[in-house]
Coordinates of all heavy atoms in Angstrom, one line a residue:
H452 N 8.7 16.1 0.8 CA 8.0 15.0 0.5 C 8.9 13.9 -0.2 O 9.8 14.3 -0.9 CB 6.8 15.3 -0.5 CG 6.0 16.5 0.0 ND1 5.1 16.4 1.0 CD2 6.0 17.7 -0.5 CE1 4.5 17.6 1.2 NE2 5.0 18.4 0.3
A455 N 5.2 11.4 -4.7 CA 4.5 12.4 -5.5 C 3.2 11.8 -5.9 O 3.0 11.3 -7.0 CB 5.3 12.8 -6.7
S456 N 2.2 11.8 -5.0 CA 0.9 11.3 -5.1 C -0.1 12.4 -5.4 O 0.2 13.5 -5.2 CB 0.5 10.4 -3.9 OG 0.1 11.1 -2.9
P457 N -1.4 12.0 -5.7 CA -2.4 13.1 -5.8 C -2.6 13.9 -4.5 O -3.0 15.0 -4.6 CB -3.7 12.2 -6.0 CG -3.2 11.0 -6.7 CD -1.9 10.7 -6.1
I458 N -2.2 13.3 -3.3 CA -2.3 14.1 -2.0 C -1.3 15.2 -2.1 O -1.7 16.4 -1.8 CB -2.0 13.2 -0.9 CG1 -3.1 12.1 -0.8 CG2 -1.9 14.0 0.4 CD1 -2.8 11.0 0.3
E459 N -0.1 15.0 -2.5 CA 1.0 16.0 -2.5 C 0.6 17.0 -3.6 O 0.8 18.2 -3.5 CB 2.3 15.4 -2.7 CG 2.9 14.7 -1.5 CD 2.3 13.3 -1.3 OE1 1.8 12.7 -2.3 OE2 2.3 12.8 -0.1
A460 N 0.2 16.4 -4.8 CA -0.2 17.3 -5.9 C -1.3 18.3 -5.6 O -1.2 19.4 -6.0 CB -0.6 16.4 -7.1
R461 N -2.2 17.9 -4.8 CA -3.3 18.8 -4.4 C -2.8 20.0 -3.5 O -3.2 21.1 -3.7 CB -4.3 18.0 -3.6 CG -5.6 18.8 -3.2 CD -6.5 17.9 -2.5 NE -6.0 17.6 -1.1 CZ -6.0 16.3 -0.6 NH1 -6.4 15.3 -1.3 NH2 -5.5 16.1 0.6
L462 N -1.8 19.6 -2.7 CA -1.2 20.7 -1.9 C -0.4 21.7 -2.8 O -0.3 22.9 -2.4 CB -0.2 20.1 -0.9 CG -0.7 19.3 0.3 CD1 0.5 18.7 1.1 CD2 -1.6 20.2 1.2
C463 N 0.1 21.3 -3.9 CA 1.1 22.1 -4.6 C 0.4 22.7 -5.9 O 1.1 23.4 -6.6 CB 2.2 21.3 -5.1 SG 3.2 20.4 -3.8
R464 N -0.8 22.5 -6.1 CA -1.5 22.9 -7.3 C -1.2 24.4 -7.6 O -1.4 25.3 -6.7 CB -3.0 22.6 -7.3 CG -3.7 22.8 -8.6 CD -5.1 22.3 -8.5 NE -5.2 20.9 -8.1 CZ -5.0 19.9 -9.0 NH1 -4.7 20.2 -10.3 NH2 -5.1 18.7 -8.5
D465 N -0.8 24.7 -8.8 CA -0.6 26.0 -9.4 C 0.6 26.7 -8.6 O 0.7 27.9 -8.7 CB -1.8 26.9 -9.2 CG -3.0 26.3 -10.0 OD1 -2.7 25.8 -11.1 OD2 -4.1 26.4 -9.6
Q466 N 1.5 25.9 -8.0 CA 2.7 26.6 -7.4 C 3.9 26.1 -8.1 O 3.9 25.2 -9.0 CB 2.8 26.1 -5.9 CG 1.6 26.5 -5.0 CD 1.8 25.9 -3.6 OE1 2.9 25.8 -3.1 NE2 0.7 25.5 -3.0
E467 N 5.1 26.7 -7.7 CA 6.3 26.2 -8.2 C 6.9 25.3 -7.2 O 6.8 25.6 -5.9 CB 7.3 27.4 -8.4 CG 8.7 26.9 -8.8 CD 9.7 28.0 -9.0 OE1 9.3 29.2 -8.9 OE2 10.9 27.6 -9.2
V468 N 7.4 24.1 -7.6 CA 7.9 23.1 -6.6 C 9.3 22.8 -7.1 O 9.7 23.0 -8.3 CB 7.1 21.8 -6.5 CG1 5.7 22.2 -6.1 CG2 7.1 21.1 -7.8
A469 N 10.2 22.3 -6.2 CA 11.5 21.8 -6.5 C 11.6 20.3 -6.3 O 11.0 19.8 -5.3 CB 12.6 22.5 -5.7
L470 N 12.3 19.6 -7.1 CA 12.5 18.2 -7.1 C 14.0 17.9 -7.2 O 14.6 18.4 -8.1 CB 11.7 17.5 -8.1 CG 11.6 16.0 -8.0 CD1 10.2 15.5 -8.6 CD2 12.7 15.3 -8.7
A480 N 8.3 11.3 -11.3 CA 7.7 12.3 -10.4 C 7.7 13.7 -11.0 O 6.6 14.4 -10.9 CB 8.4 12.3 -9.0
A481 N 8.7 14.1 -11.7 CA 8.7 15.4 -12.3 C 7.7 15.6 -13.4 O 7.0 16.6 -13.5 CB 10.2 15.6 -12.9
V482 N 7.6 14.5 -14.2 CA 6.6 14.6 -15.3 C 5.2 14.6 -14.7 O 4.3 15.4 -15.2 CB 6.7 13.4 -16.3 CG1 5.6 13.2 -17.2 CG2 8.1 13.5 -16.9
Y483 N 4.9 13.8 -13.7 CA 3.6 13.8 -13.1 C 3.3 15.2 -12.4 O 2.2 15.8 -12.7 CB 3.5 12.8 -12.0 CG 2.3 12.9 -11.1 CD1 1.0 12.6 -11.7 CD2 2.3 13.3 -9.8 CE1 -0.2 12.7 -10.9 CE2 1.2 13.4 -9.0 CZ 0.0 13.1 -9.6 OH -1.2 13.3 -8.8
L484 N 4.2 15.7 -11.7 CA 4.0 17.0 -11.0 C 3.8 18.2 -12.0 O 3.0 19.1 -11.8 CB 5.1 17.3 -10.0 CG 5.2 16.4 -8.8 CD1 6.5 16.7 -8.1 CD2 4.0 16.8 -7.9
A485 N 4.5 18.0 -13.2 CA 4.4 19.1 -14.2 C 3.0 19.3 -14.7 O 2.6 20.3 -15.1 CB 5.4 18.8 -15.3
S486 N 2.2 18.1 -14.6 CA 0.8 18.2 -15.1 C -0.2 18.7 -14.0 O -1.3 19.0 -14.3 CB 0.3 16.8 -15.5 OG 0.2 15.9 -14.3
Q487 N 0.5 19.0 -12.8 CA -0.5 19.4 -11.7 C 0.0 20.8 -11.2 O -0.9 21.5 -10.5 CB -0.3 18.5 -10.5 CG -0.6 17.0 -10.9 CD -2.0 16.7 -11.3 OE1 -3.0 17.2 -10.6 NE2 -2.2 16.0 -12.3
V488 N 1.2 21.2 -11.3 CA 1.7 22.4 -10.8 C 2.1 23.4 -11.9 O 2.2 23.2 -13.0 CB 2.9 22.2 -9.8 CG1 2.5 21.2 -8.8 CG2 4.1 21.7 -10.6
R489 N 2.4 24.7 -11.4 CA 2.8 25.7 -12.3 C 4.2 25.4 -12.9 O 4.4 25.7 -14.1 CB 2.8 27.1 -11.6 CG 3.2 28.3 -12.6 CD 2.8 29.6 -11.8 NE 3.3 29.7 -10.5 CZ 4.5 30.1 -10.2 NH1 5.4 30.4 -11.1 NH2 4.9 30.2 -8.9
K490 N 5.1 25.1 -12.0 CA 6.5 24.9 -12.6 C 7.2 23.9 -11.7 O 6.9 23.8 -10.4 CB 7.3 26.2 -12.6 CG 8.7 26.0 -13.0 CD 9.5 27.3 -13.0 CE 10.9 27.2 -13.5 NZ 11.6 28.5 -13.5
V491 N 8.1 23.0 -12.3 CA 8.9 22.1 -11.5 C 10.3 22.5 -11.9 O 10.8 22.5 -13.0 CB 8.7 20.7 -12.0 CG1 9.6 19.7 -11.2 CG2 7.2 20.2 -11.7
T492 N 11.2 22.7 -10.8 CA 12.6 22.9 -10.9 C 13.3 21.7 -10.4 O 13.2 21.3 -9.3 CB 13.0 24.1 -10.1 OG1 12.3 25.3 -10.5 CG2 14.5 24.3 -10.3
L493 N 13.9 20.9 -11.4 CA 14.5 19.7 -11.1 C 16.0 20.0 -10.9 O 16.7 20.5 -11.8 CB 14.3 18.7 -12.3 CG 14.7 17.3 -12.0 CD1 13.8 16.3 -13.0 CD2 16.2 17.0 -12.3
Q515 N 8.7 19.2 -21.7 CA 7.8 19.9 -20.8 C 8.2 21.3 -20.7 O 9.2 21.6 -20.1 CB 7.7 19.1 -19.5 CG 7.2 17.7 -19.5 CD 5.8 17.6 -20.0 OE1 5.0 18.3 -19.6 NE2 5.5 16.6 -20.8
P516 N 7.3 22.2 -21.1 CA 7.7 23.7 -21.0 C 7.8 24.1 -19.5 O 8.6 25.2 -19.3 CB 6.6 24.4 -21.7 CG 5.4 23.5 -21.7 CD 6.0 22.1 -21.7
N517 N 7.1 23.5 -18.6 CA 7.2 24.0 -17.2 C 8.1 23.1 -16.3 O 8.0 23.2 -15.1 CB 5.8 24.0 -16.6 CG 5.1 22.7 -16.6 OD1 5.5 21.8 -17.3 ND2 4.2 22.5 -15.6
I518 N 9.1 22.4 -16.9 CA 10.1 21.8 -16.1 C 11.4 22.4 -16.5 O 11.9 22.4 -17.6 CB 10.2 20.3 -16.4 CG1 8.9 19.5 -16.0 CG2 11.4 19.6 -15.6 CD1 9.0 18.1 -16.3
E519 N 12.1 23.0 -15.5 CA 13.5 23.6 -15.6 C 14.4 22.6 -15.0 O 14.3 22.2 -13.8 CB 13.5 24.9 -15.0 CG 14.9 25.6 -15.1 CD 15.0 26.9 -14.4 OE1 14.1 27.2 -13.6 OE2 16.0 27.6 -14.6
I554 N 9.9 28.9 -2.7 CA 9.3 27.6 -2.9 C 8.8 26.9 -1.6 O 9.6 26.9 -0.7 CB 10.3 26.7 -3.7 CG1 10.6 27.2 -5.1 CG2 9.9 25.2 -3.7 CD1 11.7 26.5 -5.8
H556 N 7.4 23.7 -1.4 CA 7.3 22.2 -1.4 C 8.6 21.7 -2.1 O 8.8 22.1 -3.3 CB 6.0 21.7 -2.1 CG 4.8 22.0 -1.3 ND1 4.4 21.3 -0.2 CD2 3.9 23.1 -1.3 CE1 3.3 21.8 0.3 NE2 3.0 22.9 -0.4
F558 N 10.5 18.1 -3.2 CA 10.4 16.6 -3.3 C 11.8 16.0 -3.5 O 12.6 16.5 -4.2 CB 9.6 16.3 -4.6 CG 8.1 16.6 -4.5 CD1 7.7 18.0 -4.7 CD2 7.2 15.7 -4.1 CE1 6.4 18.3 -4.6 CE2 5.8 16.0 -4.0 CZ 5.5 17.3 -4.2

Side-chain angles (χ1 to χ4, degrees):
H452 314 283
S456 77
I458 295 172
E459 289 79 21
R461 185 179 69 230
L462 287 174
C463 307
R464 191 171 301 280
D465 299 324
Q466 300 179 34
E467 178 182 355
V468 303
L470 187 151
V482 171
Y483 169 69
L484 289 170
S486 68
Q487 309 290 319
V488 304
R489 178 168 53 85
K490 180 179 179 181
V491 177
T492 301
L493 192 155
Q515 299 297 318
N517 63 335
I518 297 181
E519 179 184 14
I554 289 176
H556 292 279
F558 292 81

